[in-house]
Structure formats: C-alpha cells, structure tokens
Amino acid sequence: MIKFFLMVNKQGQTRLSKYYEHVDINKRTLLETEVIKSCLSRSNEQCSFIEYKDFKLIYRQYAALFIVVGVNDTENEMAIYEFIHNFVEVLDEYFSRVSELDVSFFNTVFHSTWQAHSSPYQTGSCSVTQAGVQRCDHGSLHPGSPGLK
Amino acid sequence: MSDIVEKTLTALPGLFLQNQPGGGPAAAKASFSSRLGSLVRGITALTSKHEEEKLIQQELSSLKATVSAPTTTLKMMKECMVRLIYCEMLGYDASFGYIHAIKLAQQGNLLEKRVGYLAVSLFLHESHELLLLLVNTVVKDLQSTNLVEVCMALTVVSQIFPREMIPAVLPLIEDKLQHSKEIIRRKAVLALYKFHLIAPNQVQHIHIKFRKALCDRDVGVMAASLHIYLRMIKENSSGYKDLTGSFVTILKQVVGGKLPVDFNYHILLQVLQKYILLLYLTMILTISAIFIFLSLAILFECVHTVYSIYPKSELLEKAAKCIGKFVLSPKINLKYLGLKALTYVIQQDPTLALQHQMTIIECLDHPDPIIKRETLELLYRITNAQNVTVIVQKMLEYLHQSKEEYVIVNLVGKIADVLVLNTVDTYAPDNAWFIQTMNAVFSVGGDVMHPDIPNNFLRLLAEGFDDETEDQQLRLYAVQSYLTLLDMENVFYPQRFLQVMSWVLGEYSYLLDKETPAEVIAKLYKLLMNDSVSSETKTWLIAAVTKLTPQAHSSDTVERLIHEFTISLDTCMRQHAFELKHLHENVELMKSLLPVDRSCEDLAVDASLSFLDGFVAEGLSQGAAPYKPHHQRQEEKLSQEKVLNFEPYGLSFSSSGFTGRQSPAGISLGSDISGNSAETGLKETNSLKLEGIKKLWGKEGYLPKKESKTGDESGALPIPQESIMENVDQAITKKDQSQVLTQSKEEKEKQLLASSLFVGLGSESTVNLLGKADTVSHKFRRKSKIKEAKSGETSSTHNMTCSSFSSLSNVAYEDDYYLNTLHDRGDKELKTFSLNSELLDSESLTELPLVEKFSNCSLSTPSLFADNSMEIFHPPQSIAASVAKESSLASSFLEETTEYIHSNAMEVCNNETISVSSYKIWKDDCLLMVWSVTNKSGLELKSANLEIFPAENFKVTEQPGCCLPIMEAESTKSFQYSVQIEKPFTEGILSGFISYHMMDTHSAQLEFSVNLSLLDFIRPLKISSEDFGKLWLSFANDVKQNVKMSESQAALSSALKTLQQKLRLHIIEIIGNEGLLACQLLPSIPCLLHCRVYADVLALWFRSSCSTLPDYLLYQCQKVMEGS
C-alpha cells in the first residue's frame, strides 16, 4: 500500500502532496520536514530506500526536486522506484519538458491528471502504471535528465 | 490506452485555461498569474519559514472573507478552492473552506464540479462528518448521462466514501459494471474494491460480477479486478482454485507480449503464489522474459514466488542465480533487493548465504546504514549458538551508532530475543559475555525497550539453568559487574537498568565474598540520594536495601536512610521507610520475612487473614464493634446524614433507576478525605511490596515444568554440536583453498568473520530443507484429497426426502403419501416426518424458524415427489442402504433434540469403505455439528476417530460419545461437536479428517470440510417491547435500507413471518405498519430490527452493538425478500 506521495524541493518546500491515509494536517508538515531531511542526508552511493519509522520511503531525485513515496512493508520497493520514473515521464510528455515551477503552478492540473490517469492508485495500491506514454527508452531516464530543469 | 482518457487529457489544459488560448507552461503561467500565480511565486521567493507563514495567513484571511461573501460567483469560488488546496498542502488549516468545496461539487458546471470534487477528496477523510453532505451529489452524478460526471463521482467514491452510506450507491455502481465504456467499468470495479476493503460484508453478493470483470476484454478492467482477487485469495486461498486457469492465461498473455509492456505483473504474481504448483513452466518463461524488459521489481517478485511455492530444483537454481546477480550488482539499489531476497530464502536454503558470505561481510561494513540494517536482519535470521557472539557484537555496534528511537527499539528487541526471551536455550556462550552484552543492551536500549526484556532477564537469573553452580556463578558475575558499574562516577544509566541492578543486588549480594552487605547498601543509598533517579526506581532501590538489611550487621546507612525517608513527601517512599524501620527493630522477624535466595519460590498467601482470628475475637470480647464491609458503612452513613452528590446527574433515560439512591462512588470520595492516612498507607504496602518481586514468581507448577525442559535440552545439545563443528571446518577449508591466492591481510580478517558468522549453517540446512519439503508435500496431498471428496459429493445421491415438503395446507395428505410410497424405509424415518408435520401444524411454527425445507415448499408438488423417490431408489443397493441409515440416524437425533431444528444430511466425503455426512442442529446455545459415519463395506471397522482442525473463528468442543471403538459392518455411527463462534465472520470453513482402522488393512484417513455461515449462529432473541426500546437507544451501529417487497408478501405480517422463518428473527410486536424484531448472534450479541412498510417498500433499520452484524443481516434480509 502506498501511504503518501510527495514532491519536495531541496529547500524543503512542498510542491505536491497526496495522502492515501488520513494524516492530521499538523502532523503532515512535521512528516514532510523529516522526510526531506532524511532524503537530503543521503548521498548518491546510498540506496534509494529508507526505513522510516514503521514504513519505507522510496525516493528519487530529479535536479532539485525530490519525489518521495511512502509505502508499507508489503510493497515492492523496486516497483515503486520504477513507478516514480514512469510518473515523471508522463509529466514530461504532458508538459513537454516539465519544470519544478510547473509542478507548483499546476497543482490542480496535476491532481486532475492524477485522477484521470492513475486511477489504479485511487486506493493507494499500485498495479497498472497506465502511463499516457509507453516509451521505454531507458537510456534517457537517468535522474536529472533534460526533462527537469 | 482508452480514448476517453486521451480525451480528458487533451481537454484538461483547455478547461483550465479557457480564458486564454494556447497550452504549455508559458501560457499557463500567464493565465494563472492572477492570484494563485502570485501566491506561488511569492512563496517561492521567500526565504524564511516565518515570512511564509505570514503570507499564507494573510492569504487565508482574505480567502475566508471571499468564500463567505454572498456575492462570490461559482467561478471565483473555483479559483478560491485552488488556492485553498495550495495553502492546505503547505500545512495550514483551511477547514473553513470544506463546506464550500462540497457546495461547489454540488452546484458547479463540469469544470467547477471537478475542482470541487478534487478539493473534497484532498480536504476530507473517510470519517469526516461533512462527507455525508456529499452523498446526494455523488448519487446524482452517478445517474448522470455525462460520462465525465460519472467518472468523477466514481473516482471520489473510490477515494473517500463514508462506510455507512455504501448501500445508497452500491446498486448504482453495480450497474456501472455493465457500462459500455471500459473506463467506467474499470472505475466501478475499483470503487467496489474500495468497498471490499472497508466493508466486505456489503459486496459479498457481487462476487460473480467480479468474475465477469476478470474476463473483461479491456486490460484495465481485468487488472483492476485482480486487486480484489488478490485480497480475497489472501483471506481464503482454497475458495478460488478454479480461477487458476484464468490467471495462468493472463500471465501467458503478458509473457507472450500480447498485453502492453508496461503492464505490471507483480500483483498477478502474488495472486498466483497460492496456486503456483502448475506453473513452473510459465515461471521460467517469465524469468527469462523479464531480463529483456529490465523490470527488476518483477524479477524480485518471481524469486520470492519461487521460494514460497513447492520447491522445484530447476527453479530454485534459477532463482539462486538471480539472487546472486542482485547481490553482486554494483548498483546499490539492486544490492538492497538482493539482500532482501536473501532474507526471505535464508531459512529455507542457508547454503545460498554461504555462497554469498563475502558479499554479506562487505555489506556489514557498508557506509549506507540501510544496507547495514538489512544485513543485520539477515544475520538475525541465521543466528545460532556458534555465531551468536559475532552477530550480537555487530548488532551492538550498529546500535551504538544509530539515534533513531524506532531503530533502537527494534534492534534491542532482536538482541534480547536472541539472548533472553527464549529462556530455555539461550544462545549465550558464557556468563561474562552474557552479562556484559545485556549491560550494553540495557544501557543503550534504556527506557524505550519493551518492558518484557528486563522482566525476562530477571526471571532467567532467578530461575537459572539446570546447573546450580553455573547459576551461582552467573549471579555472582552479574552482581560484581553491577557494582563496578555503580562505582563509576558521573555515569547516568537508564531507569530500567537501575531497576534491574537494584533487584539483582538485593537478591544476590550474599554471594559476594569481599564486600559486605553494608557496602552494597551504602552504594544503593548513594543512588537513592541522587536526584536524577525516578521515584519508581527509588522504590526498587529501597526494596533492595530492605532485603539486604537483615544480612548487614551494623548499619548506620540504614538508620540514616530511615531517618531521611520517613519524612519524605512521597507517600510511597515514606511507607517503605516506615516498613523498614519497624522491621529493623525486630531483626529475627525480618530474617524470616526476607529469606535469602527464595525469589522464585511460591508464597502461600492467606487471603482470608485467618491468623488474625484470635486477635479479632479478643477485640470483640473486649467490646469492639464488629467489622463492617465498606459498602455497608457507606449505606449506614447515608441513612444517617445527607451528603453532597458528587456524581454528575445522569442522562434522562438512564437516571430513573437510580433516583433516591446515591451511588457508592460519590461517597467514597468523601470518606477518603475524612479517613485516616495510615489506613490508606497500609493498603499501599500490600500492593507495593509485591511490585519488585511479583513478576518473578511464576504460577504454581511453572517451575518444575521448565526444569524438565532444560534437562531435555542439555541432553540433546552435545551431539549436534560436534557434527556442526565438523561441518564448519569443512566449509572453512573449502573457502581457504579457493581463495588462497588473493588473500591480503584484510581479506583474511573478513574471512575469519565470515566463518564465524556462518558457522553451523551447513548442517542445519539439510535438516531444514528436509523438514520443509516434507510439510509442503503433505499439504498438497491433503488438498487433493479434499478435492476428491468434493467430487464424490456431487456424484452422490442423497437428496434427502425431507427437502420435498409441500405447502402447509395438505400436510396430512402428503404424510399419507409418504407412508404409502416409502414403506420400506425404517419406521424411524417416518417418525421424522410425522414429527416435522406436527411442527408444521402446531402454532409453534412461528417460533421455529429457518427450516430450509420451507423454501422448497412451494416448489414441491406431488408430481415432483415421484421424481424424488425415484432418485432415491435407483442408486445401487449399498448407497440406498446408507441413505436409509442416515435418515434413521437423523431421526434418532431428532428424538434427542426434538425441540431443535436440524438441516438435511449432506455427504461431505466418502470412499469405497465409508461415507461421512453431516447435519447441523441449531441448538439454542450453540450449533451442534453431527458427522455420521456409515460403514459401507462388509467388514467390521475396528475403530474410527474424527478430528477437527482448529479454525480461527470457531471454538469446537467435542460432545460426549464421540469415539467409536468398533463399528459393525453396514452400520452408522455419529460424532457430535458443538461449535461456538469466536468472532463475527460471514463465511467460514470447518474442516477435519476421519481416521479409521479396518480389520485387516492398515488405518486410513479421509478429509472433509463443511461450510458454515453466520446465519447458523443467529438465534431469536425474546425480549419485550420495553426492553427493545431501551436496547435500541444503547446501540451505536445502525444500518438502514429500503427493500422492495414482492407481491406475495405485500402485508407486513407475512413479510415478517418470512424473516422469522428464514433468519430466525423473533417478532416482538407489530404495531400498525411497523414491526419490531430481535435476534442474537451466539453467544450473546444482540441485534434489533425495526421495519416499516410504505406501499410495497419495506424500510429496514438494524441496530446492534457489533458493527458487522447489521450489514450481514441486511444482506440476508435482502436475499430473503428478493428470493421469495
């Protein structure tokens, strides 16, 4: 089960958040701060999975933007890791070269595309990544690809 | 993907940017430059959190004014909502806008509605009360002809929807499963999945539709339905065996590339894990195919699957290779996955760990703490007596570095688990090491650790092992090490650790040679005077001092301590000090009261205080007033004087019973104030004295049991150890040979570590593997047997005649008919029928509900009868005979339990020798299951025995007379079991096996299973209307639903009668067009039903103290009303 999906920049500003389990609004801020702190403390040589309290964080960095997904124990970490990239690809295709500011401007659009496109995530479980794009060109997918500036 | 999605996608930017043409980020920025734009840009520009807060607060207050102004148009409202979402996302409370979001979703046009729904789904959560206001909107939109509206409604339903309101939308969503557009179908399936998650009872009737969804021609719908199946299969893996074929087909399509590449398999694989036996071919295909797709997540899932299914060497080899690739990968993420996979498999196949031991050692020193943790987890699983020292040392190292509380708790738990919790065979190699490690654990884990750990540790010390001298040494060492620890200046220990120390010092200081008890007391005294020690720890300390005092000869410190604490403000401490003072005055008494080394012996406590009888008698004879219990004193006091009522005035409906009587609780407050403090103090001592010691005194009979266990252990241990050592030697030498060329010094160290870590794995592996394989094969054998039994069941003919009852009017006629046609049946059989007919005739009909036969009543006509009897008489002689026997048996049971209703006999399993059939007898207090065994062969059965597997929901108890020593040929015997329900469920399976012994052959087993539904445990609840009213108010869980009545039962009374008969509800009263019914779920969970009729609609309203019961009953009622 996915617990939450976050997009946070290096300064710790939340760009997008979506919770699948209800979290109190005060706790959200706290959680986000801690999550970004633990993500920032990791170097490139360390793996992208963090154990945080009783669940796991899976993060990926695109330029200055972190995408963090919180999952519980039953989820396959690698699948989520690939899913994050898939998500970014969709954004990239949709906005033709997506940038961090787009994400914050298009908060609503994001949520809407979210609803329209990733309905499998409606209940917080990940099954079919029905991305609008089916490009499987993994060569251009390394973090910090030109898509995100 | 579906064209609908494409359309929404392309339409969206346009919708949002309809003021200005053009797409893309640049144009978008311009259009949003209004308020949201400036807000976002403003926040991005700010540097400090404080400024951001100021800006947002400003924004929020202006928004608050706008949304509540009556002039605000919907379009402006939409804009406000977007900004509110943004503010809330940044963590500022925007709850004033929630209601407006709901309004927007209700009133707006398509676009505004969309934003409204979005805002609602982001703002609210499932139990939010405002959500109820949304239900109507959702219902309206679900019925809309506009696809987008339906989509939005379905989306919001699957995101947040109140559980109680599911019945309102369920039929609408069910309809959507047949919708022509696949996106609607998919969303409907997902919404139903959500319902299944939050209220499985309510969707159980649509399982068939899920099957249809699984076979949908659209991939998306199919994939969505997989979620539901994954969950259902996890709950009940045997129920969906027949779907294996479909799953395999889907998987084949995926592997064959017929489905889109980005289709994610892992859900599917999880589904298949349960049935994988058939599948290894496909699996191999998948594994090889996946290398092409680069989907490592799936590969990982495959490996996991391979190890969780029936072991197949070919597959295991492949999986092992994959794990090797993972573990050796330079990419850190893959390494992590590899370690995780190893953790899964290590218990089944430790040799794999041996292969990768060098990598594991490297990972242990990895700079990434997460990798380290995973490695430790892996090591934890392979801990044994030989490698424990090294592994625990590694864990402690990690523990010292980490600061996060959660990690500490977790790791400390694991170390303690290895060392202490399994007290019988601790892995600890020697005393010194054990105590030192535990010291480290206590000082690091401190106060966050689980309280069981210190308790278990102390118990281990107190009870010791089998060897007394060894125990003494352990205790002595503990005492010594604690004294050295306490000697150190300026060191702070966690409170828990201090408590452990003080207990050990108090109990076992006598073992010391050099230091006298007085010195120990001095040390404890020093601690007592320390301010950083909590008051709980102080009580532990003073208890230790008390224990030591009789051993000390001269004790200035004790005097000082008494002097110090008799004036303490802490009443608890003061009490202890007083106690010590008085005991100190009488040393002999103290010595007998606090004997040395008796901590784990049972005390006989004289609860009635009989030793004081003489004292009491003396007092009475001198004219003292006899003792009155507390409540008696209260009452007397009350009758004498008026006291203030300290109790809040009760609620109107419950207070009536209390009028004129004060509750004791209120007055005890008054008496405490006036009561003398010595008395309360005395009370405290009783409980306090026990505090430090109580945990260690096992219940009677505990100690001898444990000792015998340890004895066994010691006998068994030495032998395996030797063989293990041999094995280890071999492993090491092998390793050495292979790597002798490249050995640097560092390498050598690592190998040393490796050999110490993986010690003992080799020999265990074979044992483990064997054990595992054995059980697995056993399991499979069992399953196939069940299947066999089931197929047998279908072919058997036992269409018991009971099922063919006719309508009430011509019962008598039917009876005659039976008499004529079935004359060769046993007369007992006839008794059954006459009995039944009597039941039908009598007015008790209304009180004996759920005779399933009634449902067949209207169907069976005399002509059908003929068919029935044909069926019965055609089968071969043996079966006919057995049928006859069964029926006679049934009747004999009926004789015993005439007042109860029983179900028809149902054959549950059979073979050429015996056949087993079962009945349910619905007794008032339980469900009585009767299995009757018929011996079909001509031989005599020596013995037969029936056993029921334990089931989680039921408590099954055997009724007397269950074991049959000898069974004669062609006879029938029966077993009775009473079944109680332990927690509510909807469907349960009770399975067991029968083992029998023939004269000349060896014994055989036959397995069977019986389905039980909750309905089997529902009984009428006979209460009065008045009680009904009272109960009704006290129940919190209620469910309402309107049901259409069919024409045959248009009148309320007839509808209620149906419910009474089929569901065993008790009709309390019928008033006009309203009816009151009640039932209970055994053992005693009541459920009330209130019915009201409007035209042809029956409004049902359930209330119960149990949350699942109303849902379930509602579903049953619906079924009954629709069915008849």
Side-chain angles (χ1 to χ4, degrees), chain A residues 13 17 22 42 46-49 51 53-54 56 76-77 79 94 102 106 111 119 122 127-130, chain B residues 9 13 25 28 43 86 89 118 125 158 186 223 227 262 264 297 301 332-333 336 340 368 370 373 406:
Chain A
Q13 290 173 319
S17 70
H22 180 68
R42 318 262 306 160
Q46 300 185 322
C47 70
S48 325
F49 317 119
E51 280 175 37
K53 297 208 173 138
D54 54 342
K56 280 195 178 122
N76 181 332
E77 293 94 344
Y94 187 77
D102 285 338
F106 280 96
H111 280 303
S119 51
Q122 275 167 1
S127 68
V128 195
T129 45
Q130 287 185 321
Chain B
L9 187 61
I43 289 169
Y86 196 82
M89 193 193 75
L118 174 65
H125 57 92
S158 58
R186 195 179 74 214
H227 281 287
D262 60 353
N264 199 331
E301 246 1 285
I332 192 77
N333 285 340
Y336 176 84
K340 212 176 150 191
D368 187 347
I370 304 293
R373 274 262 334 259
Y406 189 81

Side-chain angles (χ1 to χ4, degrees), chain B residues 463-475:
Chain B
E463 290 171 353
F465 303 97
D466 43 328
D467 183 4
E468 188 57 34
T469 51
E470 187 83 343
D471 291 343
Q472 297 296 5
Q473 274 173 4
L474 180 68
R475 289 167 192 161

Side-chain angles (χ1 to χ4, degrees), chain B residues 496-554:
Chain B
R496 286 258 167 77
F497 192 23
L498 286 178
Q499 289 165 11
V500 169
M501 282 186 196
S502 55
W503 190 86
V504 172
L505 290 181
E507 283 294 328
Y508 297 115
S509 285
Y510 72 93
L511 293 170
L512 287 171
D513 307 325
K514 275 180 263 164
E515 286 176 89
T516 60
E519 284 171 75
V520 181
I521 291 177
K523 274 180 186 149
L524 292 173
Y525 177 70
K526 216 172 84 191
L527 265 182
L528 263 176
M529 301 316 284
N530 194 334
D531 287 337
S532 63
V533 176
S534 76
S535 60
E536 192 200 343
T537 313
K538 278 187 181 167
T539 46
W540 282 75
L541 284 167
I542 208 162
V545 172
T546 316
K547 274 182 249 173
L548 286 175
T549 312
Q551 298 163 29
H553 302 298
S554 64

Side-chain angles (χ1 to χ4, degrees), chain B residues 994-1015:
Chain B
I994 177 152
S995 56
Y996 59 90
H997 198 83
M998 296 293 285
M999 269 305 260
D1000 45 354
T1001 55
H1002 50 66
S1003 62
Q1005 267 190 18
L1006 205 57
E1007 306 219 4
F1008 58 84
S1009 65
V1010 180
N1011 278 322
L1012 295 181
S1013 78
L1014 198 61
L1015 209 56

Side-chain angles (χ1 to χ4, degrees), chain B residues 9 33 35 107 136 248 281 331 363 400 424 436 725 752 780 786 814 894 1060:
Chain B
L9 187 61
S33 65
R35 302 298 298 273
Q107 296 164 349
N136 247 334
V248 176
L281 258 177
K331 281 193 181 157
C363 289
H400 283 301
V424 178
Q436 268 163 11
M725 287 318 282
L752 218 65
F780 275 107
I786 291 173
E814 294 300 342
L894 265 190
Q1060 184 181 41

Side-chain angles (χ1 to χ4, degrees), chain B residues 714-825:
Chain B
S714 67
L717 253 176
I719 307 155
Q721 252 174 354
E722 278 176 14
S723 63
I724 289 166
M725 287 318 282
E726 274 176 24
N727 227 312
V728 171
D729 284 348
Q730 282 172 6
I732 295 171
T733 46
K734 232 193 238 168
K735 203 75 206 168
D736 280 350
Q737 282 167 358
S738 64
Q739 297 204 344
V740 78
L741 290 175
T742 54
Q743 266 180 1
S744 65
K745 199 184 169 199
E746 199 183 326
E747 282 284 279
K748 252 185 189 167
E749 262 175 29
K750 279 189 177 173
Q751 280 190 14
L752 218 65
L753 183 58
S755 59
S756 58
L757 277 178
F758 297 97
V759 139
L761 275 185
S763 68
E764 259 179 25
S765 73
T766 49
V767 177
N768 260 354
L769 217 56
L770 270 178
K772 182 82 190 169
D774 204 13
T775 54
V776 169
S777 67
H778 197 66
K779 212 160 79 192
F780 275 107
R781 197 167 53 82
R782 269 186 201 163
K783 276 190 178 161
S784 63
K785 274 247 172 111
I786 291 173
K787 213 172 181 181
E788 207 174 86
K790 273 190 181 155
S791 65
E793 183 188 317
T794 48
S795 66
S796 71
T797 51
H798 50 78
N799 206 345
M800 282 299 286
T801 44
C802 314
S803 64
S804 45
F805 248 93
S806 84
S807 57
L808 298 175
S809 54
N810 50 4
V811 171
Y813 164 70
E814 294 300 342
D815 246 352
D816 289 340
Y817 186 80
Y818 261 103
L819 282 169
N820 294 334
T821 40
L822 308 175
H823 51 87
D824 50 348
R825 292 259 165 123

